[in-house]
Amino acid sequence: MPIDLSPVEKAKFVCAKRATQFVESGMKVGLGTGSTASWLVKCLGEMVREEGLKIKGVPTSTRTAELAREVGIEVITLDEAKWLDVTIDGADEFDPNLNLIKGGGGAHLQEKIVATASDQMIVITDASKSVETLGAFPLPIEVIPFGWQTTKNIVEEALVGMDVMGRDVTLRMNGDQPFISDEGNHILDLHLKRIGNARQISMVLNQIPGVVENGLFLDICDAVVIGYGDGRVEVRDINNGSVEEEKYDFLDNDNLFTNIAD
């Protein structure tokens, strides 16, 4: 693995590398979407090719599916898998209770379906995504294209009664056209700044006709693996309350990352 990476990319790599320890041969694995999750897919692909790891991957987006096939991971659908051993994915924010905001890449609908169909969900991220209260990152909601402006108006009205600091709602764009999700839907980004009651707002949003799903992942994540630019990795497990730390060494002489914590 090349070492000429920025500290942010090194952090993403080491947390992805550590998360591979949650994967064993014979598992059905949910594969997340995003820049950190792509490192995981590459690491698992290397294990498939070089170590004989045998897994079946259920991707959460078309771009993850393409990458998984490219690196040699067998790809199946969730309907074929029925249930997964583990899902490993990134997050845009996580709080001390490991509640998440996801959807910066517009794939949170498939990501939530896959994560809730798993025995475990592991989040891989860097320390910048840690917050005391969710909401600084815009909360995405996926909405059907039909009547989306009416849906947006209803969402804005619903936010008036919510414990949030901001209420701006914007349509996510891809250039000069609306962003289109893998399911053919639009994304509205809610600029809330702070979410005082995540459960309440999640329930209210999902009751609005036209809203398919929101990007709040509550009581779904089991552990978060946090990478740092100096090679440290912290693993927080919400179920047993443990916090573990390891260190990966960046060896300039052989252009490899080596785990030195064992």
Side-chain angles (χ1 to χ4, degrees):
M1 191 66 62
I3 63 167
D4 54 343
L5 301 173
S6 68
V8 171
E9 288 302 311
K10 287 178 181 178
K12 292 177 180 181
F13 170 75
V14 294
C15 69
K17 187 72 172 176
R18 173 61 178 84
T20 63
Q21 296 181 31
F22 290 94
V23 179
E24 300 175 1
S25 273
M27 282 187 168
K28 290 175 285 188
V29 182
L31 303 173
T33 296
S35 59
T36 310
S38 68
W39 277 115
L40 171 81
V41 174
K42 293 173 185 176
C43 289
L44 289 175
E46 187 176 52
M47 294 168 67
V48 167
R49 298 189 307 272
E50 299 185 5
E51 301 175 21
L53 178 71
K54 297 184 183 302
I55 61 172
K56 295 181 179 181
V58 174
T60 55
S61 67
T62 54
R63 56 189 181 274
T64 296
E66 291 169 358
L67 177 60
R69 293 189 181 98
E70 180 182 320
V71 300
I73 297 173
E74 180 182 355
V75 171
I76 63 173
T77 67
L78 183 58
D79 287 336
E80 291 172 321
K82 296 183 174 61
W83 195 260
L84 306 177
D85 297 286
V86 63
T87 287
I88 305 176
D89 202 350
D92 297 302
E93 281 187 348
F94 68 94
D95 71 11
N97 294 316
L98 304 195
N99 293 313
L100 321 170
I101 286 182
K102 289 178 52 57
H108 61 277
L109 173 58
Q110 290 190 22
E111 289 171 338
K112 188 176 284 191
I113 292 171
V114 170
T116 54
S118 305
D119 286 338
Q120 279 189 300
M121 182 194 185
I122 310 300
V123 163
I124 49 177
T125 186
D126 61 83
S128 69
K129 308 298 176 59
S130 177
V131 297
E132 284 301 314
T133 304
L134 298 176
F137 190 90
L139 174 64
I141 58 174
E142 186 156 338
V143 300
I144 66 171
F146 175 80
W148 73 265
Q149 294 186 61
T150 298
T151 302
K152 176 176 177 289
N153 291 338
I154 297 173
V155 168
E156 290 171 337
E157 290 178 7
L159 291 177
V160 172
M162 299 291 102
D163 184 7
V164 295
M165 288 184 63
R167 297 185 178 88
D168 290 339
V169 179
T170 58
L171 175 68
R172 186 176 301 183
M173 303 296 289
N174 182 14
D176 59 356
Q177 297 295 319
F179 175 90
I180 302 298
S181 73
D182 278 354
E183 301 301 320
N185 296 317
H186 294 333
I187 302 289
L188 297 178
D189 288 311
L190 281 53
H191 303 266
L192 307 178
K193 299 181 181 179
R194 182 188 62 82
I195 300 174
N197 189 331
R199 284 174 176 76
Q200 180 191 41
I201 196 168
S202 178
M203 180 181 67
V204 169
L205 289 173
N206 281 5
Q207 289 178 338
I208 296 173
V211 174
V212 182
E213 187 54 82
N214 69 79
L216 286 167
F217 284 52
L218 309 177
D219 302 322
I220 297 175
C221 177
D222 293 282
V224 61
V225 183
I226 306 165
Y228 296 86
D230 61 0
R232 289 179 298 122
V233 179
E234 182 181 316
V235 182
R236 301 180 190 174
D237 189 315
I238 194 69
N239 297 314
N240 58 29
S242 66
V243 178
E244 301 175 3
E245 189 169 302
E246 299 182 17
K247 179 79 182 291
Y248 286 76
D249 188 27
F250 305 103
L251 301 180
D252 294 338
N253 59 346
D254 60 3
N255 221 31
L256 294 173
F257 289 104
T258 303
N259 188 345
I260 63 169
D262 295 337

